[in-house]
Amino acid sequence: MPPQRRANDAKREAEEQRRLLTSIIAHIPSGVFWKGSDFRYRGCNEAFARSAGVEPPEDIVGKTDYELAWEKEQADYFRACDRRVMEEDRALLNIEEVERQADGRQAVLLTSKVPLHDEQGQVCGVLGIDTDISGQKQVENELRQVRAELETRVRERTAELSSANQQLQCEIRDRVRAEEALKASEERYRLVSELTSDYAYSFVVEPGGTCQVEWLTDAFARISGHSPSEQESGAWDRIVHPDDLPVVDRRMRSLLDGRSAVNEFRIIAGDGQIRWLRDHARPVWSEAQRRVVRILGAAQDITDRKLAEEEARRHQAALAQVGRLTTVGEMAAQLAHELNQPLCTMVGNAQTAQRLLAAPTPDLAEVRDALNDIVTFGNQAATVIKRLREFLRQQQPQPVVLNVQRTIEEIAGFLEADARQHAARVLFDMADDLPVIRGDRVQLQQVLLNLVRNGLEAMDLRQGGPREIVVQASRSESGDVLIDVIDSGAGLDGETAERIFEPFFTTKPAGPGLGLAICRSIVEAHGGRLWAKANPGRGTTFSILLPAIGEDMAP
Amino acid sequence: MTDARRPVVFIVDDDLGVRQMVARMVRSVGLMPRAFESVRDFLDQIDPARPGCVVLDVRLPGESGLDLQEHLARMNVRIPIIFITGHGDIPMSVRAMKAGAVDFLEKPFNDQALLDAIHAALARDADERQAESARTDARARFATLTPREREVLALVVAGLANKQIAVRLGTTGQTIKLHRGRVMSKMQADSVAELVVLAQRAGVLEPPA
């Protein structure tokens, strides 16, 4: 082969290789680019130009990464990789990186960079190939998710199985426990029916409507003092308090009609004492016989509760009465003020009229006005007095025969509560042989309450010392009742001891000063006496003497 | 006496009967009453230039009599106050008197006691107003003096003779005599004693150097 031809062949072959290379570069699905040692692009293929936002690819020549679509951090990174490749003269292969494309898409790229050499073997640039592996990455992620889901499901199923197993174990344990509990419950039931104040029963209802005891717990006999056989119908009527028979009859009718019943009624116990029962009964209906065939019930002894309620009611009534006393004092103070205004106006007008008439030529029109005002305000004062009279009429005493000890005991709770508020104590000292008296229970209680409150306030005025008030009830030498209220307060001098009973006299910074005047008038209305005396040591003794009524007058 | 300078007895009480009665009583001795139902009404209409005194109920609904006393003190109105009260409340009367009340009367009060208290209060108010106007007068006269005349006045009231004053001020006795003549005429004083009183009222009397 002639050299010319060989040369031509070689040339053609080189040309073919170049075309092949160009075609490969143009068509492979990866981006291909090359840069000079000055980091400027010398060229790239179509795919790379697209991702770099350059069109056509030749336009990239001469540009640096900073002039392309990348963000600055990305360009910095490319520059660092390029420098490393060129300085170390070593390829960097398969760098995986997330890169924002010219179209804004985040792509995962696998990039390799290799150094380019000139004819002398010196590094003169860098060639890079990057492949978009986003799709591949996505598949990988999806696979990972599916695997994770599968694992979760397996774990859940395992947990379900394990919990089912546990539940089963629990149920087995519960069964055992329930059996034990049942045994304990039976034992408890036996104890309860033995020990409590309640009893339970079951009656069989016969077709005629009469009842027979089927069973009855022992507590019944203990509560009622009657044997169970007496609980049969008929006998029942003798046990129930006569006043409550209608209640019991209504209860029975209601039960036979198929309705439950809750009732409170009294029975007369074997010892003759009255006991309160709260009975809760339920009928058992037979569908076959179309009637009530059995009555189940339980009853509770509520005698103590009833007595306590009664006591509380009495207490409440007493409290309302005590409230009335403070109202008297306050009302009196209010009345005093209401009377003072018209009185002041009347006196002033009368004096002015006198003055006007003393003039050489009296202004009679002015005198007439003054007299008119006197009439007007005189009438106003009369209205106030009328109101007071009406009020007092509602407060008439209601005398009854009284046991002094019980009368005092009824308000002991109030007195103690008052004393606690003043950080003090009330002590009671009552003789056993007190005669009975005749009087208004509440009014006398009001007097005592007032005296004790006075004493407490007197002790507030004096610092230190014992804070005690003694309420002492005894039989006086004359055979009457003497009640002493002894405080350890500031005490009284002789003159004050008498004046304190005057209306509106007070040693206290606040208060109308009517309490003691009213107390004295109440005691005197009872035919008694009320006085005060300074104690030898400290404090004051208020004494109430109430006449005893003759033995023949006592009930 | 013109009507605007005639003293007024102001009555503040929420009770209509008491208000009318006090007004009538005040009229019966030839004085001029003006009645108000509340502290607020009174404060809205008070004229500090008007001489007079106040008859005041301590316990009024809303603002009390003691509140009024405080209001007036804050407004720098020094009108005398006579308190009347439904119940002799000792701590309250002490408080009122300390705050400058001239009297404290308990309802129902004797008419003479109230009228005496009113007359005393009006006299006190008149004295107070007269002293105040004399002070204003003296200050006005002093304001017409030249600085040199003020120096001369200070030395005259300090008891110095013309010659001594001339030496102090570095001038002749003759000149001082002229100044002194003008000081006496501008201050409208006939004697040195009178000049001393006027200087005191004007608040310019200084202790001698």
Side-chain angles (χ1 to χ4, degrees), chain A residues 340-341 349 351 355 366, chain B residues 15 24 27 86 107 111-112:
Chain A
N340 204 29
Q341 289 297 101
N349 274 306
Q351 289 176 330
R355 183 181 304 279
E366 188 84 294
Chain B
D15 188 295
R24 188 169 291 133
R27 266 198 306 276
K107 286 184 202 170
D111 65 335
Q112 201 55 57

Side-chain angles (χ1 to χ4, degrees), chain A residues 99-137:
Chain A
E99 184 187 299
R100 182 178 293 280
Q101 302 296 287
D103 57 9
R105 190 172 55 93
Q106 290 277 6
V108 184
L109 297 176
L110 199 61
T111 305
S112 295
K113 287 185 176 175
V114 294
L116 292 174
H117 299 97
D118 62 10
E119 283 153 12
Q120 284 81 40
Q122 295 293 312
V123 176
C124 67
V126 57
L127 172 84
I129 300 175
D130 57 25
T131 310
D132 188 340
I133 56 165
S134 305
Q136 192 185 329
K137 274 281 156 189

Side-chain angles (χ1 to χ4, degrees), chain A residues 159-209:
Chain A
E160 271 169 35
L161 278 172
S162 141
S163 114
N165 187 31
Q166 243 166 3
Q167 211 170 324
L168 207 63
Q169 298 271 340
C170 279
E171 275 169 22
I172 293 168
R173 267 200 304 277
D174 283 351
R175 186 74 49 86
V176 172
R177 214 176 289 146
E179 274 164 26
E180 283 166 3
L182 193 64
K183 257 181 250 160
S185 164
E186 277 165 8
E187 174 68 14
R188 247 194 326 270
Y189 171 75
R190 201 180 54 77
L191 265 170
V192 164
S193 71
E194 255 175 46
L195 299 174
T196 60
S197 62
D198 298 11
Y199 68 89
Y201 56 82
S202 170
F203 288 157
V204 174
V205 182
E206 319 224 300

Side-chain angles (χ1 to χ4, degrees), chain A residues 1-18:
Chain A
M1 196 182 283
Q4 182 58 42
R5 193 157 157 211
R6 260 206 330 265
N8 279 348
D9 281 356
K11 200 178 164 193
R12 201 172 49 242
E13 207 172 313
E15 183 63 24
E16 230 163 69
Q17 270 187 347
R18 201 187 59 81

Side-chain angles (χ1 to χ4, degrees), chain A residues 337 340-349 351-352 354-356 366-367 369-371 373 377 380, chain B residues 13-18 20-21 24-25 27-29 57 85-87 107-112 115:
Chain A
H337 180 75
N340 204 29
Q341 289 297 101
L343 273 177
C344 173
T345 308
M346 288 161 72
V347 171
N349 274 306
Q351 289 176 330
T352 304
Q354 284 175 334
R355 183 181 304 279
L356 287 165
E366 188 84 294
V367 172
D369 286 348
L371 292 175
D373 272 8
F377 289 99
Q380 188 182 312
Chain B
D13 197 312
D14 62 314
D15 188 295
L16 177 68
V18 174
Q20 285 177 342
M21 178 271 287
R24 188 169 291 133
M25 196 183 276
R27 266 198 306 276
S28 79
V29 293
D57 191 342
T85 172
H87 11 236
K107 286 184 202 170
F109 42 78
N110 186 286
D111 65 335
Q112 201 55 57
L115 292 172

Side-chain angles (χ1 to χ4, degrees), chain A residues 21 133 146 170 193 206 310 347 355 408 426 444 494 501 546-547:
Chain A
L21 205 59
I133 56 165
V146 168
C170 279
S193 71
E206 319 224 300
E310 187 65 23
V347 171
R355 183 181 304 279
I408 296 175
V426 183
L444 289 175
F501 293 107
L546 293 166

